[in-house]
Amino acid sequence: MQRIYLDNVATTSVSNEVLTEMLPVFCESFGNPNSLHSIGRDAQSLIDKARDRVANCINAQRGEIYFTSGGTESNNWALIGLAMANKSRGNHIITSQIEHHSILDTCKKLEKLGFEVTYLPVDKTGLVDIASLLHYINQKTILVSIMSANNEVGTIQNLKTIAKICQEKNVLFHTDAVQAVGNFRIDVKDLGVDAMSFSAHKIHGPKGVGALYVKKGVKIEEYLTGGEQERGKRGGTLNTAGIVGFGKACEIVSSNYTVDCKKLKYLRDYFISKVESEIENIKINGHLHQRIANLVSISFKYVDGEALMYLLDMAGICVSTGSACSSGKHEISHVLIAMGLTPEEAQSTVRFSFGVDNTREEIDFVVSQLKKSVEKLRQISPLKVTKNKV
Ligand code: PLP
């Protein structure tokens, strides 16, 4: 059976160009980048090249990029490292209610260590309330961490406004850009962020590798001790093949993103218009315009999202009910609840996320299967009442 992959926000396939650059690293340039001999130096020069590519992609300098094992580690490190290095200035951190768990759970950990954390509300489109941000920043605030784009509904935050407020109040600003890099052009200098997390596997690079950008001059405590790698801040032998792949993926993103985004927007809008014309009682979640190109979150009234996901899976269509990380936990989405959806609406939600390889014909097939599956589930739904729209 042919399978159609519409879960590109969870992860993407490694592109051929990325794989081609990675393969020789495993058996030829396999040396430890810290070794002084020629095979070690080969690996080190590949890492240098990758660091430049990753830095160029976000308009950073190479010395501002630290390689990590991915978005989760970058987020953990950013919050803990910045909080610890700046604790003499205060103990208050601000984040939002719709962050990824790698931010929220780290904030909970910091609360146990004596930090105070404010979780800002969002409006029904998923935008952080700027008035609340201004209200809660105080003399003790040292760090604001707000994601660039949400992984469940795609809403893009008003990053420049938030960065400007943080600059004026002399507070550090970190953003989780895992879903943003590759989706729209990110220029860390222009945005005015102090730290930023991103990850390779969301942009057709390998899993298990990512980066933390830390602006020159910003103090951050080291994360992994026991080695001088990453300028003494993150010990451990570097994952050369992964980093090489990440570098290539960043280079591709930098040169292709305008064309890719145009295609993704076309597929997304085509999908939305077809679903809206063929299926009743639905609600599209997130901001209508200020959102990433490849994601659509839809609540289907009287339908259990998980059951819908499994029916689509049986038809060869891979989608997800929420964020990949929490979908295994059977939890109601904290993002959708923060945006004001009822628990029933949240549980009736499915996320469709497109990739550049998807086609219009695939979308036609997906919508026909979706229509059938939704009708089937509504027929057996105990919640079904025939009238009113969501
Ligand atoms: N932040 C966001 C917004 C994400 O969507 C994800 C992964 O889905 C992460 C962080 C974690 O990234 P990684 O899978 O590289 O650890």
Side-chain angles (χ1 to χ4, degrees):
M1 179 171 59
Q2 195 211 339
R3 287 189 294 180
I4 300 175
Y5 186 70
L6 294 186
D7 201 13
N8 285 276
V9 158
T11 196
T12 58
S13 61
V14 172
S15 76
N16 285 336
E17 289 151 289
V18 167
L19 188 62
T20 305
E21 290 220 4
M22 285 176 71
L23 283 177
V25 182
F26 291 103
C27 303
E28 288 166 30
S29 315
F30 61 87
N32 187 322
N34 282 78
S35 298
L36 299 177
H37 50 66
S38 63
I39 300 188
R41 292 199 307 273
D42 284 354
Q44 186 57 55
S45 69
L46 289 174
I47 284 174
D48 292 343
K49 184 173 163 190
R51 200 183 298 278
D52 284 340
R53 283 170 161 176
V54 171
N56 287 341
C57 174
I58 58 163
N59 193 25
Q61 294 165 22
R62 61 157 71 164
E64 296 173 317
I65 299 295
Y66 295 90
F67 287 118
T68 65
S69 65
T72 300
E73 183 188 321
S74 298
N75 282 341
N76 273 256
W77 182 12
L79 292 189
I80 295 170
L82 292 171
M84 289 303 184
N86 293 280
K87 66 174 190 275
S88 60
R89 293 175 43 223
N91 71 340
H92 181 226
I93 296 167
I94 298 179
T95 188
S96 84
Q97 292 173 4
I98 62 162
E99 299 295 313
H100 187 263
H101 282 293
S102 54
I103 292 287
L104 294 175
D105 292 354
T106 307
C107 283
K108 294 280 172 235
K109 189 169 172 176
L110 284 166
E111 282 184 82
K112 286 189 191 138
L113 294 173
F115 289 87
E116 280 170 26
V117 184
T118 301
Y119 301 87
L120 295 180
V122 294
D123 67 15
K124 60 182 191 326
T125 70
L127 280 178
V128 164
D129 184 21
I130 299 292
S132 296
L133 172 64
L134 283 164
H135 174 76
Y136 284 108
I137 288 191
N138 62 46
Q139 293 296 319
K140 291 193 292 175
T141 312
I142 49 172
L143 174 64
V144 170
S145 179
I146 303 289
M147 70 199 321
S148 305
N150 183 268
N151 49 307
E152 292 191 37
V153 294
T155 300
I156 300 171
Q157 297 300 331
N158 293 310
L159 295 172
K160 272 193 166 184
T161 310
I162 298 170
K164 194 159 173 278
I165 292 170
C166 290
Q167 269 162 13
E168 283 166 7
K169 304 277 183 188
N170 196 22
V171 169
L172 294 170
F173 177 37
H174 163 259
T175 187
D176 170 358
V178 167
Q179 297 296 345
V181 169
N183 243 303
F184 56 96
R185 199 181 290 287
I186 295 262
D187 177 329
V188 285
K189 300 280 177 304
D190 182 51
L191 281 180
V193 295
D194 296 296
M196 189 178 94
S197 308
F198 52 122
S199 183
H201 74 105
K202 310 289 183 177
I203 55 168
H204 298 283
K207 291 166 190 49
V209 57
L212 179 64
Y213 156 80
V214 183
K215 188 169 140 189
K216 195 171 170 206
V218 169
K219 281 198 294 177
I220 186 159
E221 205 166 77
E222 81 277 358
Y223 193 60
L224 294 181
T225 48
E228 280 311 301
Q229 290 88 352
E230 297 306 85
R231 304 178 290 291
K233 298 265 186 224
R234 199 247 180 207
T237 305
L238 288 174
N239 166 10
T240 313
I243 289 170
V244 165
F246 186 22
K248 185 64 185 173
C250 283
E251 188 191 59
I252 296 171
V253 153
S254 308
S255 54
N256 289 7
Y257 104 103
T258 313
V259 179
D260 287 354
C261 281
K262 212 168 152 190
K263 177 164 186 206
L264 289 169
K265 271 188 193 146
Y266 169 77
L267 289 174
R268 180 196 67 192
D269 294 342
Y270 178 64
F271 174 74
I272 292 177
S273 68
K274 273 200 82 110
V275 172
E276 280 182 331
S277 69
E278 301 204 13
I279 306 175
E280 277 199 323
N281 287 334
I282 60 156
K283 175 170 170 177
I284 314 268
N285 302 305
H287 200 284
L288 274 188
H289 313 291
Q290 209 167 308
R291 61 176 156 151
I292 51 177
N294 65 340
L295 191 165
V296 185
S297 161
I298 308 181
S299 304
F300 298 88
K301 200 165 189 175
Y302 314 127
V303 167
D304 178 62
E306 204 165 291
L308 180 56
M309 186 203 79
Y310 284 120
L311 279 189
L312 291 174
D313 192 36
M314 283 162 66
I317 300 162
C318 303
V319 297
S320 137
T321 49
S323 71
C325 330
S326 56
S327 55
K329 283 194 193 166
H330 302 286
E331 269 176 12
I332 298 183
S333 156
H334 65 289
V335 174
L336 297 174
I337 296 296
M339 287 168 57
L341 272 74
T342 62
E344 291 73 30
E345 285 174 325
Q347 259 170 331
S348 73
T349 302
V350 172
R351 179 182 76 181
F352 304 84
S353 52
F354 308 94
V356 277
D357 294 332
N358 289 128
T359 62
R360 201 181 139 107
E361 291 66 40
E362 284 179 339
I363 305 274
D364 290 337
F365 177 73
V366 169
V367 177
S368 71
Q369 292 302 313
L370 188 58
K371 191 176 175 188
K372 275 193 219 160
S373 308
V374 167
E375 278 167 7
K376 205 174 194 171
L377 291 170
R378 281 181 178 161
Q379 270 164 16
I380 55 166
S381 167
L383 299 168
K384 182 151 196 290
V385 188
T386 33
K387 294 173 253 135
N388 61 320
K389 290 201 164 193
V390 178

